[in-house]
Amino acid sequence: MRYPVNLAKNVSATQTAAGSIVSLRSAHKHGVEAVQDIAQQLAELQRKQQFGELGGVLFFCSAEYQLTALAEGFQQCFGDTPVAGCTTAGELTTLGYENGTLCAVLFAGNAFQLQVSGITQLHEFDLARGQQLVDALLRRSRDDPQRVSDDNVFAITLLDGLSSQEETVLVALQSALGKIPHFGGSAGDDNQLQTTHVYFDGAFHSNAAVIVLVRTALAFEVFSTQHVSALTEKLVVTEADADTRTVFELNAEPAAQAYADAVGVAMAQLNATVFAMHPLAVKVGHEYYIRSIQRVNDDASLTFYCAVGNGAVLTRMQPEPMLPALEARLSEIERRIGEPVLTIACDCVLRRLENEARGHLADASAFLRRHHVSGFTTYGEHLHGVHVNQTFTGVVLAKPVEGQRH
């Protein structure tokens, strides 16, 4: 699937690419100390003139942190700087896949401008609120006298991953964003499936989302990729509650039993790793969109990460080798838009579990380091107003290729 390439105009690629964006990590377990560590690393880069004046922060943190302490740290260290973030099911840092850390992407003001807006009471969010919110973000961004680009803009969304409101919120936002490229991810809680949080306005929130409008002088491309192919077997949803994303029956049988029979395991053996290795998908047009299973319930129903309704036809999918597909996708983008400075990625938790089950986590971490990837492990990914599962979705930010308009 191809998405628009954005090449910054009327700026110097050499001036903006160097020191314009950096990913930093901290393994400190106390929230204030972790943020202070990030701030100290930033100060050292600035002292060496390797990074300019800070223009914004996007962070991803383990749910193990005491969140009020982490919020206190961000308020102390970054003051009025635009900051947004969320809890994770794992972090993608400069070392690759990690758990229990704080990953922060820092944007320099000479190449980026961030506008951040939070959304509360997700069940009440509608098209009108979406239009008002996006209009206000665009107005603030355009009115900034120091804006770095006239029309090089994309949006990032972070959303409570257990709210079951992604579809409603993303559709409302996309209607307002129009042609502005958009990606994001649903917050996690280290696979506890209890409570997930997003951060804006100096605090963590549940039943909430945050949208970040990013104006940049760099070239970028928003993308998504998956690594599955379709099998012939179908499972039809014959009873479901779309509001709670719970499927009670598949092919008129208890959902968990029907799924277990289809993939060849005992129902008692169903777990997140089985779900990762045996995904289901709906077909829309010529494309398959995975609908990942979150958990088995006591009544043998299945709860999904994405909305699934009565009558949906689910196709069994077969995972293909993950890293070759991802390598090809990122290499294609990098050839097109230039040398990568950083890729911000939202990687589904089930992809991570599959890598672990296959013993590929070290290779995957090496791949992430090689391609300068930072981000987080999600409970779902967002792409141009659509909530998707079991994908690797994000944005490549690059120094434009020589001779390309910028």
Side-chain angles (χ1 to χ4, degrees):
M1 195 177 296
R2 291 284 298 274
Y3 302 104
V5 177
N6 292 68
L7 297 171
K9 301 174 184 176
N10 304 320
V11 295
S12 166
T14 301
Q15 291 173 353
T16 58
S20 61
I21 185 170
V22 65
S23 176
L24 303 175
R25 65 175 288 279
S26 177
H28 280 280
K29 298 307 179 185
H30 188 277
V32 173
E33 293 178 355
V35 182
Q36 289 174 342
D37 185 17
I38 297 293
Q40 289 165 3
Q41 293 178 58
L42 170 62
E44 181 64 14
L45 290 174
Q46 291 173 325
R47 187 187 67 81
K48 296 177 179 178
Q49 297 185 335
Q50 295 175 347
F51 195 85
E53 182 179 353
L54 184 63
V57 179
L58 182 68
F59 75 85
F60 314 105
C61 66
S62 169
E64 296 174 7
Y65 281 106
Q66 213 289 326
L67 297 183
T68 56
L70 203 62
E72 179 184 349
F74 276 107
Q75 292 178 61
Q76 288 179 2
C77 295
F78 293 103
D80 295 330
T81 301
V83 179
C86 69
T87 56
T88 77
E91 302 80 56
L92 311 181
T93 78
T94 51
L95 298 183
Y97 280 116
E98 289 203 86
N99 288 97
T101 66
L102 171 63
C103 173
V105 177
L106 309 183
F107 301 82
N110 69 319
F112 292 93
Q113 287 162 331
L114 274 62
Q115 303 291 338
V116 176
S117 186
I119 304 168
T120 58
Q121 302 300 317
L122 296 184
H123 61 285
E124 297 177 359
F125 196 73
D126 56 18
L127 291 174
R129 285 183 62 191
Q131 190 68 57
Q132 292 170 358
L133 184 152
V134 171
D135 285 348
L137 284 172
L138 288 170
R139 191 180 312 114
R140 297 204 310 261
S141 181
R142 283 193 296 259
D143 290 347
D144 188 333
Q146 303 300 319
R147 66 178 182 270
V148 296
S149 172
D150 288 337
D151 56 4
N152 216 43
V153 182
F154 63 92
I156 303 172
T157 48
L158 305 173
L159 199 148
D160 180 340
L162 297 176
S163 67
S164 299
Q165 297 298 315
E166 284 98 334
E167 287 79 12
T168 300
V169 173
L170 294 177
V171 166
L173 289 174
Q174 186 60 37
S175 176
L177 287 167
K179 294 182 179 180
I180 294 174
H182 156 237
F183 79 97
S186 298
D189 66 346
D190 295 319
N191 297 326
Q192 298 303 305
L193 301 178
Q194 298 295 320
T195 309
T196 64
H197 295 83
V198 298
Y199 178 96
F200 57 87
D201 291 344
F204 285 91
H205 307 262
S206 289
N207 189 29
V210 60
I211 178 170
V212 184
L213 192 72
V214 182
R215 190 178 294 272
T216 180
L218 271 63
F220 72 83
E221 183 169 339
V222 169
F223 72 97
S224 183
T225 184
Q226 59 185 23
H227 66 296
V228 294
S229 59
L231 299 172
T232 58
E233 189 167 2
K234 311 290 184 183
L235 294 169
V236 180
V237 178
T238 48
E239 185 180 349
D241 181 345
D243 290 340
T244 62
R245 300 174 176 172
T246 302
V247 174
F248 298 98
E249 289 185 357
L250 291 169
N251 294 349
E253 297 180 10
Q257 188 63 63
Y259 173 79
D261 291 344
V263 303
V265 303
M267 191 171 71
Q269 295 177 310
L270 293 180
N271 58 28
T273 301
V274 173
F275 303 150
M277 304 292 278
H278 302 280
L280 303 174
V282 296
K283 189 176 185 181
V284 180
H286 298 292
E287 300 285 343
Y288 285 95
Y289 294 90
I290 295 177
R291 293 294 181 257
S292 295
I293 301 170
Q294 184 184 100
R295 63 178 181 267
V296 179
N297 302 310
D298 292 340
D299 61 356
S301 64
L302 297 172
T303 297
F304 284 69
Y305 281 107
C306 263
V308 180
N310 284 321
V313 178
L314 301 175
T315 300
R316 278 196 61 205
M317 307 296 287
Q318 176 176 280
E320 303 292 344
M322 190 182 301
L323 292 183
L326 191 52
E327 177 79 62
R329 188 73 177 95
L330 290 185
S331 296
E332 170 200 353
I333 294 170
E334 291 163 7
R335 284 193 300 271
R336 186 161 52 249
I337 71 172
E339 180 183 351
V341 180
L342 188 75
T343 293
I344 304 172
C346 303
D347 187 36
C348 182
V349 62
L350 296 183
R351 289 171 59 95
R352 183 172 186 150
L353 290 172
E354 181 183 337
N355 272 321
E356 290 177 350
R358 296 186 186 279
H360 294 168
L361 210 57
D363 289 342
S365 288
F367 172 90
L368 297 175
R369 295 194 299 270
R370 188 165 65 251
H371 285 271
H372 309 291
V373 175
S374 290
F376 75 111
T377 302
T378 76
Y379 283 175
E381 303 79 62
H382 317 155
L383 184 70
H384 305 317
V386 179
H387 183 210
V388 292
N389 290 150
Q390 220 152 333
T391 72
F392 187 94
T393 296
V395 62
V396 179
L397 293 150
K399 172 183 174 181
V401 294
E402 187 174 352
Q404 184 67 268
R405 285 189 65 194
H406 54 266

